[in-house]
């Protein structure tokens, strides 16, 4: 889809397209209200600006729209039908991970979610399963008030990548 096509979508279709990029209702509403955009660079800048204006509750809502790193392909397909292809591609390296890495990711995910109250969010694009595991383990000792900011930064990266994919589709 081109930026021109995105700019000309009716509001419900625009909101649906934006929802594929970020699961925060407030972000989708704020972004939809700003359309049309003159160029992709302005769209990307505004996506980050709007993300950074949100509350922690809005960020946590966006996190619920992601599968767990290392989650099953079946879970990806069922829970995230509209973005499963993107998420599956973003986490493609997990398919080649060793059993030990997969088990460590599962345990780490449980520990992370128990400590912080949301799933481990990382921009998985271009990272191996072992790299994601190392990041998870490195972030587990963080204080909740620090970790939420890191997770929000990762979500911003994911949103920008998905906006790029949306415009390339």
């Amino acid at each position: 889809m081109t930026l021109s096509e995105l700019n000309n979508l009716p509001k419900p279709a625009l909101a649906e397209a934006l929802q594929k990029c970020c699961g925060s209702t407030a972000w989708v509403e704020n972004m939809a209200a700003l359309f049309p955009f003159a160029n992709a660079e302005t769209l990307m800048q505004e996506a980050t600006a709007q993300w950074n204006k949100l509350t922690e509750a809005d960020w946590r809502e966006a996190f619920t729209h992601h599968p767990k790193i290392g989650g099953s392909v079946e879970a990806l397909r069922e829970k995230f039908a509209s973005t499963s292809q993107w998420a599956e591609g973003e986490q493609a390296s997990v398919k080649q991970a060793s059993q030990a890495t997969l088990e460590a990711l599962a345990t780490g995910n449980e520990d992370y979610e128990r400590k912080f109250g949301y799933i481990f969010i990382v921009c998985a694009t271009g990272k191996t399963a072992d790299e994601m595991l190392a990041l998870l383990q490195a972030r587990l000792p963080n204080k909740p008030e620090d970790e939420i900011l890191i997770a929000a930064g990762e979500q911003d990266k994911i949103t920008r990548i998905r906006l790029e994919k949306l415009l390339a589709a």
Side-chain angles (χ1 to χ4, degrees):
M1 166 179 317
T2 66
L3 179 58
S4 177
E5 291 168 332
L6 190 62
N7 280 336
N8 290 302
L9 285 177
K11 289 293 182 191
L14 176 60
E16 184 178 324
L18 292 172
Q19 183 80 29
K20 291 178 182 179
C21 301
C22 179
S24 164
T25 303
W27 182 87
V28 169
E29 290 172 356
N30 293 349
M31 286 298 294
L34 297 173
F35 272 79
F37 284 96
N39 56 57
E41 181 180 326
T42 304
L43 169 65
M44 294 297 181
Q45 289 171 348
E46 200 57 50
T48 294
Q50 293 303 314
W51 177 251
N52 290 332
K53 291 178 184 178
L54 298 180
T55 67
E56 182 176 326
D58 297 321
W59 293 344
R60 287 174 176 261
E61 178 191 13
F63 301 163
T64 68
H65 289 258
H66 291 281
K68 289 182 183 178
I69 296 293
S72 73
V73 174
E74 294 76 25
L76 277 169
R77 286 198 181 104
E78 287 174 25
K79 187 173 179 189
F80 305 98
S82 67
T83 60
S84 64
Q85 186 177 10
W86 287 351
E88 194 172 334
E90 291 161 2
Q91 295 188 26
S93 69
V94 174
K95 291 179 184 175
Q96 287 102 30
S98 70
Q99 187 63 32
T101 297
L102 291 174
E103 289 173 9
L105 274 170
T107 300
N109 276 320
E110 289 172 15
D111 293 343
Y112 184 98
E113 194 165 0
R114 189 171 26 260
K115 179 174 181 178
F116 298 112
Y118 51 88
I119 67 164
F120 174 64
I121 299 293
V122 65
C123 182
T125 302
K127 292 179 180 64
T128 67
D130 287 323
E131 289 171 327
M132 288 184 277
L133 175 60
L135 287 168
L136 189 156
Q137 291 170 334
R139 286 170 49 189
L140 262 172
N142 289 342
K143 295 177 184 174
E145 59 271 20
D146 295 332
E147 183 57 27
I148 190 70
L149 297 175
I150 294 168
E154 292 297 304
Q155 173 64 55
D156 182 49
K157 292 177 197 173
I158 295 164
T159 299
R160 293 172 66 91
I161 288 170
R162 289 184 174 187
L163 280 168
E164 290 171 2
K165 289 177 181 180
L166 180 65
L167 293 176

